[in-house]
Amino acid sequence: MEQGTVIQKTEEMVRKQLLGEGSGHDWYHIERVTTTAKKLATEENADLFVVTLAALLHDLADDKVVESEEKGLAAIQDWLVQHQVDQDVIEHILTIIKDMSFKGGNSKQLDSMEGQVVQDADRLDAIGAVGIARCFVYAGKKGQPIYDPEIEVREQMTTEEYRQGKTSAIHHFYEKLLKLKDLMNTKAGYRLAQERHLVMEQFLDAFYLEVGEVKRPE
């Protein structure tokens, strides 16, 4: 099957599955990540077919979105096999998807340029103005408060603690979002991350001013 056809059909399938998703991992998140990943891939000379498919499919195996990461990966593999994608390409895509998530700082280093590009694109959508909006949507979905000054910022966490432990939307900035700039893999990703990081810093300054907090969580 031609690559363009595989991509088109994958877009349609993912859009149908995630269009109404309510935690900030919806189709429009996928669309933004895919657009950014394709731009980064061009700058970094990465395989555009692998990058595009991995970006489109990455949240279909994310435990924030699906009940089982294992079943999600199996479904992705089945989809790619059905659409006659080469096995080595399938394995590459699955490795990217399996290892790209932050998971409380417990994610693996991605060795391929394609993986690094998709990871950067996904992380760029977690910061800046869009990242701020997604942070509060996700916190609301999880039943977490906007801010609780009695909660301490968590540093060392297992993936389970990161997913299930007590936190707030504002604390999430310190536990993940403000760390992402320095975790970018590519020069292009880092350049974009610097701009979006500044937006988050400005937002936090305004937030603490409005709530009358002198000291931020440390």
Side-chain angles (χ1 to χ4, degrees):
M1 190 175 293
E2 292 185 358
Q3 291 185 353
T5 302
V6 176
I7 289 171
Q8 179 185 350
K9 289 183 175 297
T10 302
E11 286 178 349
E12 293 169 355
M13 181 271 290
V14 176
R15 189 179 194 278
K16 185 176 180 180
Q17 287 204 36
L18 295 181
L19 188 59
E21 202 280 334
S23 74
H25 301 82
D26 59 7
W27 163 248
Y28 299 108
H29 161 67
I30 297 294
E31 189 174 47
R32 290 190 302 269
V33 170
T34 303
T35 298
T36 301
K38 288 163 69 174
K39 290 178 181 177
L40 296 179
T42 300
E43 288 199 41
E44 302 293 342
N45 295 314
D47 186 311
L48 196 58
F49 183 60
V50 171
V51 165
T52 303
L53 284 178
L56 285 169
L57 293 163
H58 76 275
D59 273 342
L60 297 188
D62 191 321
D63 61 4
K64 297 187 296 295
V65 179
V66 298
E67 289 185 8
S68 167
E69 180 180 328
E70 184 176 327
K71 289 181 180 178
L73 289 168
I76 290 169
Q77 177 167 310
D78 288 346
W79 171 266
L80 295 173
V81 169
Q82 290 169 18
H83 290 79
Q84 303 169 7
V85 177
D86 291 343
Q87 187 58 38
D88 60 333
V89 174
I90 293 175
E91 291 174 3
H92 192 177
I93 291 169
L94 291 174
T95 297
I96 292 170
I97 293 171
K98 183 172 61 176
D99 294 340
M100 64 181 280
S101 183
F102 182 73
K103 295 181 178 177
N106 298 302
S107 59
K108 297 179 181 179
Q109 176 65 39
L110 289 164
D111 295 326
S112 72
M113 179 53 67
E114 290 75 23
Q116 292 176 12
V117 161
V118 177
Q119 187 178 62
D120 278 6
D122 189 41
R123 289 177 170 179
L124 283 165
D125 207 58
I127 59 178
V130 169
I132 292 169
R134 292 182 65 224
C135 175
F136 286 99
V137 166
Y138 185 74
K141 180 80 171 180
K142 295 282 288 185
Q144 298 165 350
I146 292 174
Y147 176 53
D148 182 345
E150 301 301 319
I151 298 176
E152 294 185 1
V153 173
R154 304 169 299 168
E155 286 297 334
Q156 300 299 321
M157 294 171 279
T158 65
T159 301
E160 181 66 19
E161 288 169 341
Y162 175 66
R163 290 279 191 261
Q164 304 299 331
K166 190 174 183 181
T167 190
S168 77
I170 292 296
H171 283 71
H172 190 60
F173 283 82
Y174 300 94
E175 293 171 353
K176 176 184 177 181
L177 306 186
L178 293 172
K179 298 178 179 181
L180 294 182
K181 171 176 66 70
D182 293 326
L183 294 176
M184 290 291 152
N185 301 293
T186 65
K187 290 181 180 178
Y190 182 74
R191 184 180 68 248
L192 292 170
Q194 286 181 299
E195 300 168 3
R196 299 188 187 198
H197 186 89
L198 180 60
V199 171
M200 295 192 298
E201 291 278 11
Q202 292 169 337
F203 166 78
L204 288 169
D205 286 342
F207 179 87
Y208 289 114
L209 181 64
E210 291 180 18
V211 300
E213 287 280 342
V214 176
K215 186 179 180 183
R216 300 183 179 193
E218 297 293 346

